[in-house]
């Protein structure tokens, strides 16, 4: 079976560049900064302000899609997974010093591949990159569509056992990846078919009830949007409208005596808003049973930086994609006698913004949210930021240092492993160079700088049969065929 990939087509289009910055050989560029990948560029502008730390704080990733090496030609996104690992460890230490809680969340754990060579050059996808990903000690994770069935394989002609390969990914996830994180891996509405019993079983945990280091009692769920795939009998997704009525869900939400709840945390490969989102349904279901308990949502899937307010006690954040963004959210004012940490940590800025629900008739930040909901005025204060994925940003927020002591042994080991894996998969060979940047969304469709204009040129030259050159052609593809911009510079 021969597959024509989008990458191979674009390689033809950029191979003959006459002038392009970057190496002209297959060797790697010289490393001029500490860590990251050898070809990566270093950011030059640090963040303008420090983060606001609250009683409870979160770092959020989603939809990494194999970009663990970082974006080698984009300064603002040049950190790799080793840099991120060092960042999360330093931030955990900082939280301990401030006497507050910090939780690490990922809402795109199923979407760990289908986007970059580090994950997609193996069979099954993610065989080598998942092991690298697993070095982050996440507190909560949830499944995405790529781990079940939906595979945006960058193919322009798709033939053969595509369903078989994606089911292999699903079973590999259930058999191996979930074991790394145990009850932290949440799949409240996703089941996989047991090949022996022919019955559907939970891939991960339906929910997790836990207490933070400083005493906050949290009930958490992981909910995939209502994804329906044809010809994929190996998994099942329970629609949110059905899930919210199931006995186990109602009992978990309404738990009061044996397991008091200070906060609900709902994570999902599930957009903040839009036609695919089911988070509002889940919010309504929880709020009917628990009208005053705070609910914090962490979203994914749409690859956007996004945020919404459901009521004074509930917000949702979505934190981009492709290792370009780390989401930051902090809360203060969670009412509980069980919390033993600092309500307003000293020496750092603290959250100051209440949740304000903006509607179509609201023109200012003085929205009268309390009058439009059943929730009493809240004492919760929030802050949120979207952090660019680079070492300078990570080091600035972790400890104000650009290099030492930001690096640590674990992070350096991960970075070296990424370098070795890229080389073993032949991902560092330079095939040519792009004389300009072609992007997916930064310019209108059909613009000369839009990548689909380049794709049409490449298809015209490559997908052809000389014997039928005078016949009209129809070429079918999907949005998954092109996963990212083609950035000016070396094409590997």
């Amino acid at each position: 079976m021969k597959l024509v990939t989008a990458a191979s087509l674009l390689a033809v289009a950029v191979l003959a560049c006459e002038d392009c910055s970057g190496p002209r050989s297959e060797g790697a560029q010289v490393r001029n900064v500490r860590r990251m990948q050898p070809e990566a560029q270093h950011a030059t502008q640090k963040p303008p302000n420090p983060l606001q730390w609250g009683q409870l704080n979160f770092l959020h990733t989603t939809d990494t899609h194999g970009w663990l090496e970082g974006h080698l030609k984009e300064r603002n996104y040049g950190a790799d997974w080793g840099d991120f690992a060092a960042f999360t460890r330093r931030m955990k230490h900082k939280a301990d010093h401030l006497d507050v809680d910090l939780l690490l969340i990922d809402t795109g754990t199923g979407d760990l591949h289908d986007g970059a060579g580090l994950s997609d050059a193996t069979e099954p996808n993610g065989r080598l990159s998942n092991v690298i990903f697993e070095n982050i000690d996440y507190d909560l994770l949830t499944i995405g569509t790529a781990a079940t069935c939906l595979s945006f394989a960058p193919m322009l002609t798709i033939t053969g056992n595509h369903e078989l390969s994606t089911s292999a990914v699903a079973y590999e996830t259930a058999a191996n990846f979930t074991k790394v994180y145990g009850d932290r891996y949440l799949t409240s509405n996703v089941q996989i078919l047991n090949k022996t019993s022919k019955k559907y079983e939970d891939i991960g945990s339906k929910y997790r009830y836990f207490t933070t280091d400083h005493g906050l009692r949290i009930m958490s769920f992981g909910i995939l949007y209502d994804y329906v795939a044809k010809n994929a009998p190996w998994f099942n997704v329970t629609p949110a409208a059905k899930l919210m009525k199931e006995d186990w869900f109602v009992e978990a939400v309404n738990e009061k005596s044996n397991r008091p709840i200070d906060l609900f945390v709902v994570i999902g490969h599930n957009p903040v808003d839009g036609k695919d989102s089911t988070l509002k349904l889940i919010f309504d279901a929880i709020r009917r049973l628990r009208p005053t308990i705070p609910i914090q949502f962490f979203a994914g899937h749409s690859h956007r930086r996004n945020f919404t307010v459901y009521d004074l006690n509930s917000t949702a954040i979505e934190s981009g994609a492709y290792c370009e963004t780390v989401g930051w959210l902090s809360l203060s004012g969670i009412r509980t006698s069980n919390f033993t940490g600092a309500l307003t940590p000293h020496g750092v800025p603290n959250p100051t913004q209440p949740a304000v629900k903006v509607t179509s008739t609201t023109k200012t930040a003085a929205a009268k949210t309390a009058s439009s909901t059943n929730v009493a005025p809240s004492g919760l204060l929030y802050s949120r930021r979207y952090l660019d994925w680079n070492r300078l940003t990570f080091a600035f927020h972790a400890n104000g240092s650009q290099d030492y002591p930001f690096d640590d042994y674990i992070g350096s080991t991960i970075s070296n492993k990424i370098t070795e894996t890229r080389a073993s998969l032949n991902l560092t060979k330079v095939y040519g160079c792009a004389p300009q940047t072609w992007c997916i969304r930064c310019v209108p469709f059909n613009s000369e700088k839009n990548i689909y204009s380049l794709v049409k040129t490449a298809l015209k030259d490559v997908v052809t049969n000389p014997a039928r050159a005078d016949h009209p052609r129809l070429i079918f593809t999907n949005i998954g065929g092109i996963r990212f911009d083609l950035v000016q510079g070396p094409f590997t």
Side-chain angles (χ1 to χ4, degrees):
M1 176 177 64
K2 183 177 180 181
L3 300 175
V4 180
T5 67
S8 65
L9 294 176
L10 298 183
V12 173
V14 301
L15 187 60
C17 294
E18 294 296 331
D19 182 28
C20 184
S21 60
R24 302 299 298 176
S25 67
E26 296 180 7
Q29 292 174 291
V30 177
R31 181 191 297 271
N32 55 14
V33 295
R34 298 186 65 184
R35 285 269 300 286
M36 306 192 298
Q37 293 303 293
E39 306 95 322
Q41 303 179 54
H42 201 23
T44 58
Q45 186 172 356
K46 68 180 182 180
N49 299 301
L51 296 173
Q52 296 176 349
W53 287 78
Q55 177 185 10
L56 177 60
N57 310 273
F58 299 90
L59 288 171
H60 177 217
T61 57
T62 187
D63 295 271
T64 52
H65 284 285
W67 284 87
L68 307 187
E69 66 192 52
H71 295 254
L72 306 182
K73 292 178 287 186
E74 298 178 276
R75 291 185 180 276
N76 282 345
Y77 316 115
D80 66 21
W81 204 246
D83 298 309
F84 180 60
F87 173 58
T88 60
R89 289 165 59 83
R90 298 297 182 192
M91 291 291 277
K92 283 281 192 177
H93 292 323
K94 187 169 185 175
D96 290 341
H97 176 73
L98 294 172
D99 200 25
V100 295
D101 288 313
L102 172 64
L103 301 181
L104 305 183
I105 309 289
D106 186 86
T107 55
T109 317
D111 280 13
L112 300 181
H113 46 81
D114 295 323
L118 193 70
S119 60
D120 296 356
T122 61
E123 181 62 39
N125 288 169
R127 179 171 58 84
L128 299 180
S129 60
N130 280 5
V131 178
I132 296 171
F133 181 95
E134 291 162 4
N135 284 282
I136 304 296
D137 190 23
Y138 282 104
D139 294 284
L140 295 172
L141 313 88
T142 192
I143 199 167
T145 49
T148 51
C149 170
L150 182 59
S151 181
F152 294 113
M155 302 173 184
L156 296 178
T157 58
I158 305 176
T159 60
N161 57 352
H162 183 64
E163 287 79 19
L164 178 61
S165 67
T166 51
S167 66
V169 171
Y171 282 109
E172 192 279 335
T173 299
N176 299 312
F177 188 84
T178 61
K179 304 302 186 291
V180 174
Y181 290 103
D183 68 347
R184 294 175 288 171
Y185 191 75
L186 303 177
T187 57
S188 301
N189 65 329
V190 183
Q191 298 83 36
I192 194 167
L193 183 66
N194 184 308
K195 295 180 181 180
T196 302
S197 68
K198 305 303 180 183
K199 296 181 179 180
Y200 288 106
E201 301 175 349
D202 294 322
I203 296 177
S205 300
K206 282 188 177 296
Y207 63 90
R208 183 188 181 207
Y209 178 84
F210 65 103
T211 302
T212 67
D213 291 343
H214 294 86
L216 290 175
R217 296 159 297 192
I218 294 176
M219 179 65 78
S220 54
F221 303 99
I223 299 174
L224 182 65
Y225 71 97
D226 289 353
Y227 174 59
V228 179
K230 297 179 180 179
N231 303 317
W234 55 85
F235 79 97
N236 176 66
V237 176
T238 303
K242 180 180 179 182
L243 174 75
M244 55 193 259
K245 298 175 183 177
E246 292 187 349
D247 290 342
W248 73 265
F249 182 82
V250 174
E251 291 171 3
V253 170
N254 214 27
E255 183 70 62
K256 295 179 180 178
S257 56
N258 296 328
R259 295 182 295 189
I261 298 171
D262 299 317
L263 173 73
F264 289 98
V265 174
V266 180
I267 67 175
H269 195 73
N270 205 329
V272 159
D273 53 25
K275 63 182 181 63
D276 286 337
S277 179
T278 61
L279 297 184
K280 183 61 165 57
L281 282 174
I282 300 301
F283 163 78
D284 289 338
I286 296 175
R287 191 53 83 221
R288 279 194 293 270
L289 296 171
R290 307 302 293 268
T292 61
I293 302 297
I295 313 169
Q296 183 57 52
F297 290 85
F298 293 88
H301 180 59
S302 72
H303 297 183
R304 296 182 296 165
R305 295 179 175 184
N306 202 2
F307 189 84
T308 196
V309 174
Y310 294 121
D311 66 21
L312 291 174
N313 284 325
S314 181
T315 71
I317 187 172
E318 188 170 353
S319 302
Y322 298 146
C323 291
E324 288 182 323
T325 304
V326 180
W328 169 265
L329 186 132
S330 59
L331 307 175
S332 285
I334 301 173
R335 297 170 180 172
T336 174
S337 60
N338 210 52
F339 184 70
T340 60
L343 295 174
T344 54
H346 298 293
V348 292
N350 304 135
T352 60
Q353 179 65 50
V356 176
K357 186 173 183 179
V358 179
T359 67
S360 59
T361 58
T362 302
K363 302 300 182 183
T364 71
K368 297 180 180 179
T369 308
S371 64
S372 62
T373 70
N374 294 323
V375 179
S378 169
L380 287 181
L381 296 175
Y382 295 83
S383 78
R384 84 176 192 272
R385 291 272 291 274
Y386 302 105
L387 311 182
D388 287 343
W389 195 285
N390 62 70
R391 273 179 56 87
L392 189 57
T393 293
F394 291 168
F396 175 82
H397 291 306
N399 54 13
S401 168
Q402 182 173 343
D403 286 299
Y404 183 83
F406 178 71
D407 292 314
D408 62 14
Y409 175 76
I410 293 177
S412 298
T413 301
I414 296 169
S415 294
N416 291 336
K417 182 62 176 179
I418 293 172
T419 304
E420 294 169 4
T421 304
R422 291 177 59 225
S424 71
L425 296 174
N426 200 29
L427 301 178
T428 57
K429 180 178 180 179
V430 178
Y431 289 95
C433 60
Q436 67 174 63
T437 294
W438 286 274
C439 62
I440 296 177
R441 298 183 181 89
C442 69
V443 293
F445 185 76
N446 279 335
S447 165
E448 291 184 358
K449 294 183 178 180
N450 188 288
I451 196 168
Y452 292 104
S453 297
L454 177 64
V455 169
K456 288 192 292 185
T457 300
L459 290 173
K460 176 177 66 69
D461 292 338
V462 176
V463 184
T464 182
N465 180 348
R468 296 173 52 85
D470 58 337
H471 288 62
R473 285 171 289 163
L474 288 175
I475 300 172
F476 294 90
T477 183
N478 60 30
I479 58 172
I482 303 297
R483 295 299 279 163
F484 196 68
D485 303 341
L486 178 59
V487 180
Q488 181 179 7
F491 185 92
T492 57

